[in-house]
Amino acid sequence: MRVEIWSDIACPWCYVGKARFEKALAAFPHREQVEVVHRSFELDPGRAKDDVQPVIKMLTKKYGMSEQQAQAGEENLGTQAAAEGLEYRTRGRDHGNTFDMHRLLHFAKEQGRQDELVQLLYRANFAEERSLFTEGDERLVALAVEAGLDADAARTVLADPAAYADDVRADEREAAQLGANGVPFFVLDRAYGVSGAQPAEVFARALTQAWGDRSPLQLIDDGGAEACGPDGCAVPQH
């Protein structure tokens, strides 16, 4: 069974939702038969790469709330994250463009290190004091290396704006086609969708239902075709 997760590194509920999903997945009896794939979704796709601003300022401008309301929201998110065992800095974080991170995540997927990198990017954005957006490509390269990727290969990807750009855009178009207008958005075997950072119990039910509802293979066979099996290949007798 495949679970696809549309998310953005700048999305705090994606950070929390991933932890809740993984809690459900760890207890799922068929865990080893579940493939998890991370898909790209930008919350702020029109933001310029060099346009970085404090999270509180971004929230007040985007949602028309006061600084006190924005800070209260961050405190609530910090509480929610702590309940999942996650670190979350409620003050001093900033916000910027995540397109290069998504391109790097597609490269990491090819190398079998996508989940490792996405978790490191979340940690860097939500738990660490250093900005993920103002230190240039070398910060992303360092995280890529920590995830098990080659430094020079990661630099090559980041230096080429076209590298994996089509993959990111394809993910975003697919999200729109599936009706996802927010993240996190979880799709189980292209049959069930779960929107938002739901409790682990909801993810557990979704996994169980999706697993149980998988369609069995329908065999079309008129009995007359030769085939090879464990005992060898049948030789037609004339």
Side-chain angles (χ1 to χ4, degrees):
M1 183 167 72
R2 170 180 282 197
V3 178
E4 296 162 279
I5 307 174
W6 271 264
S7 59
D8 191 9
I9 298 303
C11 165
W13 287 117
C14 297
Y15 179 46
V16 173
K18 182 177 185 290
R20 291 175 177 173
F21 169 76
E22 288 176 346
K23 183 183 293 184
L25 185 60
F28 186 56
H30 309 287
R31 167 65 186 94
E32 298 305 316
Q33 294 169 269
V34 178
E35 177 193 12
V36 178
V37 178
H38 296 279
R39 302 290 191 192
S40 299
F41 189 106
E42 293 172 278
L43 291 176
D44 206 351
R47 181 176 291 272
K49 186 174 180 178
D50 60 352
D51 183 5
V52 180
Q53 63 182 155
V55 165
I56 297 300
K57 182 177 179 180
M58 179 274 294
L59 291 172
T60 58
K61 183 177 180 180
K62 187 171 184 177
Y63 299 107
M65 58 177 66
S66 68
E67 288 192 8
Q68 291 78 10
Q69 289 172 320
Q71 188 59 55
E74 284 293 285
E75 298 293 341
N76 174 56
L77 277 161
T79 300
Q80 299 273 355
E84 305 303 329
L86 300 172
E87 294 183 54
Y88 189 97
R89 295 181 64 239
T90 60
R91 297 175 183 273
R93 292 194 305 107
D94 55 17
H95 176 80
N97 182 287
T98 58
F99 188 64
D100 284 348
M101 299 175 204
H102 286 293
R103 294 195 301 110
L104 197 59
L105 282 167
H106 275 279
F107 166 65
K109 179 177 180 291
E110 285 188 351
Q111 306 301 312
R113 310 300 295 178
Q114 189 187 45
D115 193 69
E116 290 83 355
L117 181 58
V118 77
Q119 191 60 36
L120 288 168
L121 289 169
Y122 278 142
R123 185 196 72 189
N125 188 41
F126 293 109
E128 296 180 359
E129 291 188 14
R130 295 170 60 191
S131 171
L132 190 58
F133 301 99
T134 61
E135 296 190 22
D137 289 350
E138 282 307 303
R139 180 75 192 287
L140 296 181
V141 170
L143 292 170
V145 170
E146 190 175 347
L149 298 169
D150 179 76
D152 289 338
R155 285 192 190 94
T156 298
V157 170
L158 292 169
D160 179 5
Y164 300 96
D166 289 345
D167 299 274
V168 176
R169 298 306 183 208
D171 276 359
E172 293 174 336
R173 286 193 301 271
E174 196 164 15
Q177 291 165 1
L178 290 169
N181 52 17
V183 285
F185 188 69
F186 301 76
V187 177
L188 291 75
D189 254 4
R190 289 300 171 109
Y192 295 92
V194 179
S195 180
Q198 300 285 349
E201 294 79 9
V202 173
F203 288 121
R205 290 199 300 271
L207 286 165
T208 299
Q209 185 169 356
W211 183 267
D213 287 353
R214 290 176 307 146
S215 299
L217 182 68
Q218 301 296 313
L219 184 63
I220 300 173
D221 183 5
D222 64 3
E226 292 81 10
C228 295
D231 298 323
C233 301
V235 179
Q237 301 297 317
H238 297 287

